[in-house]
Every structure is written in structure tokens, then in C-alpha cells.
Amino acid sequence: MKRSSLAPSTKPMKRTPLRATRPAKTSAPIMGKCRHCKAPFERKSARHIACSPACIIALTEKSAAKKLAAEAKRDRIATKQKLIEIKPLKWFKAKAKKALHLFVRTRDEGKPCASCDTILRNTGKPGGDYDAGHFRSVGSAKHLEMDLRNIWGQCKHCNHQLSGNSQEYERRLRISQGDAFVDELLSDNETRRYRREDYLVIEAWAKKEMKELKSGKNKNNQA
């Protein structure tokens, strides 16, 4: 009699050997520094930036105050710009003149006066120790008032008591700059019409040159 194919096998069953299970890995806590009190604390997420509710409130108040300050600054700048826009032309001219004359006085400090042998020294006197004097006076050559070719360091005695000491000014200017320079300046009678933008450019240029001039003098003093 044939054995049924459904009969149980007589071969012994293989058993999978038991393996020891490894304990689950535990990640180390992520530490951070509180943005308010700077104390170390355990962070729960990337957005967790403060160690306590009190620090969160303090950070919120600080952020709000910073925002208000920024808005106030923008308002001040806008208000200042509006005030500048309604200023008269002479206001811009005065600022440009002040910056340009300060540059000339600084540039010529330690040099002889443009019209005499007096050495120009800055001792901090009220009103300044010397002037930025014009070779062709502002009264006779208004168009050269802002022309650097026409402005040089000059002692107050020559500029005020001697009304510019023009003859000696010209003689010395011919020696230092040449006849062609002086002749060109004397023959320059072209009318200039300065706008507000022109005065702003002059002021910005003079301040930039002044900064570079001071930087160069400081380096020379340190050497």
C-alpha cells in the first residue's frame, strides 16, 4: 500500500537559534544656550531658544522694543529728508562752503601763508587760527567762490587787515603754481550757476577728501 503524500514528514524540524536583542539606542540630549540669560539648557527642537517662560517673555519684549526703535529711526530719517527738501539754496551753499574751507585749512596746515611767510598752525583758537583765503575775492569773482584753484590757506592778518594782500598772493602763487596756472585763473570769467545738487556734491567730496587727508596724517605721525 502506497503512503499518502500528505503524511507528516519524519524528518526533525530545524529551530532558529535564539539571539540576544540589543537595547534601543538612546540619543544624547541636544544642549543649547538660552538667548536671553545665556544659561545652558536642553533643547526640544530647533525653535526652542529660551530656557524658561520668563526668558521667552523677556525675548519677546526685547524684539518688540527693537522693532519700535527701527520704526522710529525710519521715521526720523524720513522727517529729516523732508526738512532738507524744503531748505533754501543758501543753506546747502553754507554747508558746502564750510566743508570745502575746512579741507583747505587742513590741507595747508604747517605750510606758509599764501601771501606771506607766516606758518599756518592750528592751535584751536575760537574762529580758527587762519582762513581759507581767495586769490580772486568773492566780491569780484563770485563764480570762483567754490573753485579750489582759487582757495588757499591764508593768515588772518593778510586776509582781513590787508584785504587779501592780493599782489603778494599773486606773486607767490605764480612761484608755486606757475604763470600759466595764474593766467588761466585770472582769465576765467565763465558764469557758474550752482544748484542744490551741486552743493551736495561739493560737500560730499570735501568730506571724503578730508577723511583721507586725516588718515594720511595719522599714519605719518605713527611712523
Side-chain angles (χ1 to χ4, degrees):
M1 184 176 179
K2 293 184 177 180
R3 184 181 295 179
S4 172
S5 60
L6 297 178
S9 174
T10 58
K11 294 182 179 180
M13 294 179 61
K14 292 184 178 179
R15 295 183 178 274
T16 305
L18 295 176
R19 295 180 181 177
T21 57
R22 296 180 181 178
K25 291 184 178 180
T26 56
S27 57
I30 301 174
M31 301 303 293
K33 183 182 288 186
C34 178
R35 288 193 184 179
H36 177 64
C37 69
K38 308 304 179 184
F41 73 104
E42 184 179 345
R43 296 179 63 182
K44 303 300 183 182
S45 69
R47 300 179 65 182
H48 195 187
I49 60 174
C51 64
S52 66
C55 286
I56 293 175
I57 294 172
L59 284 173
T60 304
E61 291 176 347
K62 184 178 179 180
S63 177
K66 189 176 181 180
K67 184 178 179 180
L68 288 174
E71 291 176 355
K73 184 178 180 180
R74 286 195 294 269
D75 291 341
R76 287 196 302 272
I77 293 173
T79 302
K80 184 178 179 180
Q81 186 61 35
K82 289 179 181 178
L83 290 174
I84 288 176
E85 289 174 357
I86 63 174
K87 292 286 186 182
L89 187 63
K90 63 181 181 181
W91 185 82
F92 294 95
K93 178 183 176 181
K95 286 177 66 64
K97 179 181 177 181
K98 181 179 179 181
L100 195 62
H101 284 200
L102 179 59
F103 165 71
V104 170
R105 291 196 302 271
T106 305
R107 179 197 66 189
D108 294 346
E109 183 181 356
K111 299 177 182 178
C113 166
S115 51
C116 74
D117 292 328
T118 302
I119 300 299
L120 305 176
R121 302 191 186 281
N122 183 12
T123 61
K125 289 182 180 178
D129 295 89
Y130 52 94
D131 297 331
H134 292 77
F135 168 52
R136 293 180 65 182
S137 68
V138 176
S140 63
K142 187 77 173 176
H143 57 290
L144 296 175
E145 184 179 7
M146 297 286 177
D147 194 322
L148 269 180
R149 298 174 303 163
N150 193 47
I151 313 171
W152 303 86
Q154 189 175 36
C155 70
K156 290 186 176 294
H157 177 73
C158 286
N159 196 25
H160 297 284
Q161 277 71 40
L162 301 181
S163 301
N165 199 3
S166 58
Q167 290 185 351
E168 189 63 20
Y169 202 144
E170 180 178 346
R171 185 184 75 81
R172 290 170 180 264
L173 200 59
R174 286 186 181 278
I175 294 173
S176 63
Q177 303 300 319
D179 290 333
F181 177 91
V182 176
D183 291 340
E184 181 182 358
L185 196 54
L186 288 171
S187 62
D188 186 348
N189 295 308
E190 183 181 351
T191 302
R192 274 86 155 169
R193 294 188 181 279
Y194 291 100
R195 303 165 300 169
R196 182 181 73 172
E197 292 76 14
D198 297 322
Y199 288 129
L200 288 172
V201 169
I202 292 172
E203 181 187 5
W205 178 89
K207 287 182 176 180
K208 177 178 176 293
E209 292 295 314
M210 181 72 181
K211 185 177 180 180
E212 293 179 358
L213 194 62
K214 282 187 173 182
S215 177
K217 285 190 174 184
N218 289 337
K219 287 181 180 179
N220 292 334
N221 291 335
Q222 293 174 0

